[in-house]
Amino acid sequence: KAAKRLMNLDRFYTAAVFRDPIEHLASHLCWVKYIGADSKSEFFKSHQRDIQKLALQIQSVDFSKPVELKEFLNSTNPTMNNLFDNCQLRYLLSEELQGRVGYDELLMAKRTLDEIDVIGVTEHLDSFVARVGELMKISYPESTPNRNAQGNRFGLDVLNGDTIRAMLPFTQF
């Protein structure tokens, strides 16, 4: 939506790729924990203060314990809302939302989705890239690299039912 305000997109195709919501949230959690792993590093210092604070706070959370994860996620913090609460839906909103995502935001996001030409999911990235190639009448690679740059999960098991239940309120939309 923000791009539409900046330029005329009528001559362009629009595309979006989404991840499994639990995997996406897990990735965000692990990335923030990774940021705070060494608070003296230049990497840590290169992040905004609110991210630094959150990265230090998350260090005490044992991701292998769903109860701790749930307590952490349920603590109210505007930075956490922006990073962890239904983050993929937030990408579809025209303005930054400070609070938790609700039904109204879901409806706005659905309207945005209606304006996107090609929508894909990371689990089927090859077919998404092929579809974009077809639309643009260009050749596309046989396979598309698909990996997460930050591989450490810090004990976070997205196949654990209790972990999934702890994360569901933040991926429900």
Side-chain angles (χ1 to χ4, degrees), residues 125-127 129-130 140-146:
L125 194 58
D126 288 344
S127 61
V129 171
Y140 51 90
E142 290 296 316
S143 69
T144 307
N146 183 7

Side-chain angles (χ1 to χ4, degrees), residues 108-152:
M108 285 186 260
K110 283 183 175 183
R111 286 192 293 275
T112 300
L113 285 172
D114 289 340
E115 298 173 13
I116 298 174
D117 297 308
V118 184
I119 298 171
V121 292
T122 56
E123 293 79 11
H124 301 286
L125 194 58
D126 288 344
S127 61
F128 168 81
V129 171
R131 178 67 183 127
V132 170
E134 288 170 14
L135 278 173
M136 298 180 69
K137 297 178 177 48
I138 59 173
S139 62
Y140 51 90
E142 290 296 316
S143 69
T144 307
N146 183 7
R147 70 176 184 86
N148 195 329
Q150 203 306 93
N152 190 342

Side-chain angles (χ1 to χ4, degrees), residues 22-31 33 58 61-66 69 73 151-160 162-164 166-167:
I22 295 290
E23 284 288 344
H24 194 238
L25 175 56
S27 179
H28 275 220
L29 288 162
C30 293
W31 181 249
K33 192 165 182 102
I58 205 171
V61 180
D62 184 344
F63 284 174
S64 69
K65 297 179 180 173
L69 180 61
L73 286 171
N152 190 342
R153 285 298 180 114
F154 301 99
L156 184 59
D157 179 5
V158 296
L159 300 178
N160 177 308
D162 291 333
T163 299
I164 292 170
M167 297 169 81

Side-chain angles (χ1 to χ4, degrees), residues 50-116:
D50 56 344
I51 301 296
Q52 290 177 5
K53 184 177 175 184
L54 186 60
L56 293 175
Q57 181 185 356
I58 205 171
Q59 295 306 306
S60 64
V61 180
D62 184 344
F63 284 174
S64 69
K65 297 179 180 173
V67 171
E68 284 191 31
L69 180 61
K70 184 176 183 175
E71 287 173 2
F72 173 74
L73 286 171
N74 285 323
S75 62
T76 56
N77 175 322
T79 304
M80 284 179 51
N81 283 338
N82 287 333
L83 288 175
F84 304 140
D85 178 49
N86 294 282
C87 42
Q88 292 185 108
L89 183 139
R90 287 172 182 273
Y91 300 152
L92 299 168
L93 300 177
S94 58
E95 295 179 19
E96 187 175 321
L97 174 68
Q98 294 301 318
R100 297 285 306 271
V101 168
Y103 188 71
D104 290 341
E105 288 77 28
L106 175 63
L107 296 177
M108 285 186 260
K110 283 183 175 183
R111 286 192 293 275
T112 300
L113 285 172
D114 289 340
E115 298 173 13
I116 298 174

